[in-house]
Amino acid sequence: VVEQSTAIDKLRKSRSDMEEKCKARISALEKELEESTKSVLELTGFQKENITLKNENQALQSVIEGLRAERTLWSRELAEQGSQLALDRGALQNEIKGLRKELSEKVEELQSLTDKSRIKEHQLNDAMDTITKLKQTIVHNQQELNEVTKLEQRIAGISQEKKEKSTDCDSALIPLL
């Protein structure tokens, strides 16, 4: 009986040890399950975040490609505008040269006309002086002519009086004859 009792005690002890090991193992497995569940949740969150980041990355890549295409287009347009501006600049420089030449010619023409105008003004002033002198001479001659005319009229009047007197005298003498 003692042997059986010892065997039963061993069995009980062994069962108790086994139960404790099973409980410890269950507890460890439950902890592992919780950690695995947390890990799965974190992994799911990471996967969702990864998908979101991939989508954002793809959107950013599209934007970058669009910007690169736009930059290429702008580069072409700038090159075309640069060449057009160079052509316009050359044309404008040629036009400026032409206008400067025309301005120079006009300045020379204006100087020539100014010189001619001064000469004509001088000639006109000389002519005006001559006309003024001639007018003064005409006025003077007119005055002298008027004086001479008056003198002639007086002389003619005196001559007429003398004739009349002499005719009167003659007529007075004729009856005497």
Side-chain angles (χ1 to χ4, degrees):
V1 174
V2 174
E3 279 181 19
Q4 281 184 344
S5 197
T6 327
I8 290 177
D9 281 337
K10 279 185 183 180
L11 279 174
R12 276 189 193 157
K13 194 175 188 186
S14 142
R15 189 176 180 186
S16 179
D17 284 340
M18 201 184 271
E19 279 180 10
E20 283 181 25
K21 284 182 183 179
C22 280
K23 283 182 184 177
R25 176 81 176 139
I26 289 172
S27 181
L29 287 173
E30 284 177 353
K31 283 183 183 177
E32 246 183 75
L33 180 64
E34 275 183 37
E35 288 177 10
S36 292
T37 306
K38 284 181 185 177
S39 294
V40 167
L41 289 176
E42 283 180 5
L43 181 62
T44 305
F46 287 146
Q47 286 175 340
K48 288 180 183 177
E49 188 177 341
N50 187 23
I51 291 170
T52 304
L53 289 174
K54 281 183 180 179
N55 289 337
E56 285 180 14
N57 187 23
Q58 190 176 11
L60 288 174
Q61 287 296 328
S62 295
V63 169
I64 289 171
E65 287 175 19
L67 290 174
R68 284 182 181 154
E70 197 170 331
R71 182 181 71 186
T72 304
L73 179 66
W74 285 1
S75 295
R76 283 188 205 136
E77 286 178 1
L78 281 174
E80 289 172 7
Q81 288 177 355
S83 65
Q84 185 61 42
L85 285 174
L87 290 174
D88 290 348
R89 182 178 182 194
L92 288 174
Q93 285 177 340
N94 286 336
E95 187 176 343
I96 288 170
K97 284 180 185 177
L99 289 173
R100 283 184 178 160
K101 182 179 178 184
E102 185 179 338
L103 177 64
S104 175
E105 290 171 359
K106 293 294 181 185
V107 166
E108 288 176 9
E109 184 180 334
L110 181 62
Q111 287 175 346
S112 173
L113 289 174
T114 302
D115 292 343
K116 288 178 182 177
S117 175
R118 285 184 186 145
I119 291 169
K120 287 184 179 183
E121 182 182 3
H122 183 68
Q123 289 173 344
L124 184 62
N125 286 339
D126 288 348
M128 291 298 289
D129 288 343
T130 303
I131 290 171
T132 304
K133 287 177 184 175
L134 287 173
K135 281 183 180 179
Q136 289 173 352
T137 304
I138 289 172
V139 167
H140 180 67
N141 288 343
Q142 188 68 37
Q143 288 173 349
E144 285 182 0
L145 182 63
N146 286 341
E147 287 177 17
V148 168
T149 306
K150 285 180 186 176
L151 269 172
E152 283 180 351
Q153 288 174 354
R154 274 182 42 230
I155 291 174
I158 293 173
S159 292
Q160 187 67 31
E161 277 181 28
K162 283 186 182 179
K163 274 186 185 180
E164 285 178 10
K165 280 186 184 178
S166 82
T167 338
D168 283 343
C169 284
D170 283 344
S171 26
L173 286 176
I174 293 184
L176 289 178
L177 286 177

